[in-house]
Amino acid sequence: MTNERIERTTLKNLLFNEEYSRKVLPFIKEEYFTNRLEKILFKEIFNFTTQYNKLPTKETLEIDIQNRRDITDEEYKQIVELVQSLNSEEINLDWLVETTEKFCKDRAIHNAVMDGIQILENKDNKRTPEAIPEILSDALGVSFDSHVGHDYLDDVDKRFDYYHQKLERVEFDLEYFNKITKGGLPNKTLNVALAGTGVGKTMFMTHMAAHSLSVNKNVLYITMEMAEERIAERIDANLLNISTDDLHSLNRKIFSDKIEKLKQATTGSLVIKEYPTASAGAGHFKSLLNELALKKTFKPDIVFIDYINICASSRFKPGANVNSYTYVKAIAEELRGLAVESNLPIVTATQTTRTGFVSTDVGLEDTSESFGLPATADFMFALISNDELEQAGQMMVKQLKNRYNDPTMNKKFVIGVDRARMKFFDVEQSAQTLVNSGIDEDSDTDAVESYLQKNKGNKYGNFS
């Protein structure tokens, strides 16, 4: 069926077929029609149906069109003739809906290509070539989604299946993190590490990025603090099981052989993208995802953003008169929205306040700049270090917020740290027993130090 015929068929059924109209009207756009008079007729049908929740008649359409001031007498006569030519007919509804959806997709792609040409020829003053991947992606994503919500009583089977399905998660290689998240980070979530300067926020994210790559996941690491090469250096140290100092003394052949061995051991990919501090936000990251999909056929399973406080907000311009609470909360909401839209988990980090930096029992109130961040996050935990833990090569983790599990279970636990190789690892069970026994590091430092000296753990790697 030609576009001209499907356009007329669409208008005809929007006027006479209520079931069809309710299925497709929310998804059809005025710009899908090529003929100006058909655009006007569609707009009048859409406006009437939306306002009065019923289909218009030929008479009401003629009156509404007559009241328009943007058409000539000749155009009015032609539209009336078009309206009178439309008559009801029996057509298979499923076929009609499917054909209309294909028509809308084709028109959306055609319009996107034409918009791209306008941009490339500098005939569009509002958009730059960087907008083209998103325009094409939106056009390719056109579909008729008829889902309008979960019916509690009628959708009982769907709900039962949901309770028993295994959600796709990105697992940790750390036992207690898997315990408290019920097996890892699910899609459509925002996950935040809280720590003071130099404690290990970036090291934790690079460690998790390295592990995700090693288990065949596609990883996108966005850095706004360090250079791409510095992030890659930390991941090299982790995956190749070499200290950052020794990395620089490797000759080219040994280094290349180790990377080749790693390449053969995983089917995943890792992309590291650097942005200047405070210059990019969720909108830029969405464009990056679209660009990676088009240019490299790369779709990440997990995204790391280092770190949230130095991202930009899409809602507020830099330098706008907005307090830090509102600004950081807006960034958090935008990043979580990106996670939901892209159907993947996002991991990021934030700083503690000055009080939290010297505290051995960090809480949500120690989040710097905005309490709106923990209010938005799905999972938030603190990385805590002190002299005794540092000396033993260990770090304490404290759950601050957890939508995946009961946050009072394993509220605190210890993990091992190998800073030279940028690694975290599990420690013996006796460490967790001490942490959860109620001993306060400030009041009984001798007991803690005695334990730490006995349990320093072993450090290991997969691609040595």
Side-chain angles (χ1 to χ4, degrees):
M1 182 179 288
T2 64
N3 280 346
E4 183 178 352
R5 290 187 62 190
I6 187 59
E7 289 173 15
R8 292 291 176 93
T9 302
T10 298
L11 291 171
K12 183 189 305 181
N13 283 274
L14 288 175
L15 188 57
F16 294 108
N17 190 332
E18 184 170 354
E19 185 177 1
Y20 169 80
S21 180
R22 294 192 182 280
K23 281 179 176 290
V24 307
L25 193 60
F27 308 106
I28 302 177
K29 296 181 179 180
E30 182 181 354
E31 58 262 30
Y32 294 164
F33 295 86
T34 54
N35 182 283
R36 167 175 156 76
L37 302 184
E38 290 177 347
K39 286 183 179 181
I40 293 173
L41 181 55
F42 168 76
K43 190 66 175 177
E44 292 301 331
I45 295 174
F46 179 88
N47 290 341
F48 187 96
T49 306
T50 303
Q51 183 173 354
Y52 299 105
N53 197 29
K54 59 168 57 176
L55 302 185
T57 64
K58 291 183 177 182
E59 290 73 18
T60 57
L61 280 176
E62 290 179 12
I63 293 172
D64 287 341
I65 293 169
Q66 188 176 29
N67 291 331
R68 292 181 66 118
R69 297 183 178 182
D70 61 340
I71 59 174
T72 64
D73 291 340
E74 181 61 27
E75 286 177 328
Y76 170 71
K77 181 181 177 181
Q78 292 177 14
I79 296 176
V80 170
E81 290 176 356
L82 173 59
V83 172
Q84 292 301 326
S85 71
L86 301 177
N87 295 298
S88 177
E89 62 181 359
E90 289 291 330
I91 299 181
N92 180 277
L93 180 63
D94 292 336
W95 175 87
L96 187 57
V97 171
E98 183 178 328
T99 303
T100 305
E101 182 176 14
K102 184 178 184 304
F103 159 70
C104 291
K105 285 182 177 180
D106 290 344
R107 292 306 305 170
I109 293 171
H110 175 271
N111 291 344
V113 171
M114 298 307 295
D115 285 347
I117 293 173
Q118 293 288 313
I119 292 171
L120 292 174
E121 293 181 349
N122 296 320
K123 295 179 180 179
D124 188 328
N125 297 325
K126 296 181 179 179
R127 293 177 292 186
T128 63
E130 284 72 22
I132 293 177
E134 184 174 354
I135 293 172
L136 290 172
S137 178
D138 290 343
L140 291 168
V142 169
S143 65
F144 288 4
D145 182 4
S146 60
H147 179 69
V148 292
H150 178 84
D151 189 306
Y152 178 77
L153 296 177
D154 291 342
D155 292 339
V156 59
D157 289 337
K158 291 182 180 178
R159 193 161 66 253
F160 181 85
D161 291 339
Y162 170 78
Y163 293 154
H164 293 82
Q165 74 179 6
K166 185 177 181 181
L167 293 178
E168 182 179 347
R169 295 173 182 266
V170 177
E171 295 183 356
F172 295 86
D173 61 340
L174 299 167
E175 178 186 1
Y176 271 78
F177 270 101
N178 282 326
K179 280 185 178 181
I180 65 176
T181 58
K182 291 187 175 179
L185 302 180
N187 292 334
K188 303 182 180 181
T189 58
L190 178 64
N191 309 275
V192 183
L194 171 67
T197 302
V199 172
K201 301 185 298 297
T202 298
M203 182 168 64
F204 183 87
M205 287 194 288
T206 54
H207 170 85
M208 191 177 176
H211 169 69
S212 299
L213 174 63
S214 70
V215 293
N216 306 320
K217 298 293 185 183
N218 286 337
V219 181
L220 173 60
Y221 197 107
I222 297 171
T223 172
M224 307 187 73
E225 186 178 36
M226 293 185 181
E228 295 171 357
E229 294 79 9
R230 292 293 303 277
I231 297 298
E233 177 187 36
R234 292 176 173 227
I235 294 174
D236 276 336
N238 183 294
L239 286 174
L240 305 183
N241 196 30
I242 300 173
S243 72
T244 51
D245 289 338
D246 291 340
L247 264 177
H248 295 274
S249 62
L250 284 180
N251 64 49
R252 183 181 296 274
K253 185 178 186 311
I254 295 176
F255 180 73
S256 298
D257 289 346
K258 287 180 176 290
I259 294 297
E260 186 60 33
K261 183 179 178 182
L262 170 59
K263 189 183 297 185
Q264 294 174 1
T266 180
T267 58
S269 296
L270 170 63
V271 174
I272 305 169
K273 173 63 177 175
E274 178 186 1
Y275 288 97
T277 300
S279 68
H284 300 84
F285 305 152
K286 180 180 177 182
S287 296
L288 175 62
L289 291 172
N290 293 332
E291 193 173 356
L292 287 169
L294 289 170
K295 292 182 177 179
K296 302 186 63 153
T297 63
F298 174 87
K299 184 182 184 303
D301 298 300
I302 186 169
V303 174
F304 296 87
I305 299 175
D306 193 359
Y307 60 97
I308 192 169
N309 297 70
I310 52 176
C311 291
S313 169
S314 301
R315 281 180 270 178
F316 302 106
K317 293 182 179 179
N321 188 24
V322 180
N323 60 53
S324 61
Y325 172 90
T326 303
Y327 193 75
V328 176
K329 186 175 189 293
I331 297 172
E333 291 169 347
E334 291 159 14
L335 290 184
R336 191 176 188 281
L338 178 63
V340 172
E341 184 178 354
S342 305
N343 191 34
L344 47 74
I346 290 179
V347 181
T348 186
T350 187
Q351 301 268 25
T352 59
T353 59
R354 282 178 292 180
T355 304
F357 180 72
V358 297
S359 173
T360 57
D361 193 21
V362 176
L364 287 176
E365 69 279 1
D366 295 309
T367 305
S368 69
E369 296 189 285
S370 177
F371 195 75
L373 171 54
T376 306
D378 296 284
F379 176 50
M380 192 164 177
F381 59 94
L383 299 173
I384 303 170
S385 184
N386 57 33
D387 292 341
E388 291 79 16
L389 286 165
E390 185 73 25
Q391 183 181 357
Q394 295 181 349
M395 186 178 292
M396 182 183 294
V397 180
K398 179 183 177 183
Q399 292 189 68
L400 302 178
K401 181 182 181 181
N402 192 342
R403 287 177 176 164
Y404 316 138
N405 208 344
D406 181 357
T408 63
M409 300 293 291
N410 301 304
K411 190 171 183 65
K412 293 181 182 180
F413 56 92
V414 169
I415 54 178
V417 185
D418 182 351
R419 291 188 180 274
R421 293 175 175 81
M422 297 294 163
K423 284 178 177 287
F424 290 90
F425 54 91
D426 290 322
V427 296
E428 295 179 3
Q429 183 59 38
S430 54
Q432 317 308 338
T433 303
L434 178 72
V435 169
N436 290 287
S437 65
I439 296 177
D440 189 316
E441 290 91 340
D442 291 332
S443 62
D444 198 354
T445 55
D446 289 340
V448 175
E449 185 171 2
S450 175
Y451 160 75
L452 292 173
Q453 290 298 325
K454 296 177 183 177
N455 299 275
K456 291 192 176 184
N458 295 314
K459 306 167 181 64
Y460 51 90
N462 294 325
F463 301 102
S464 58

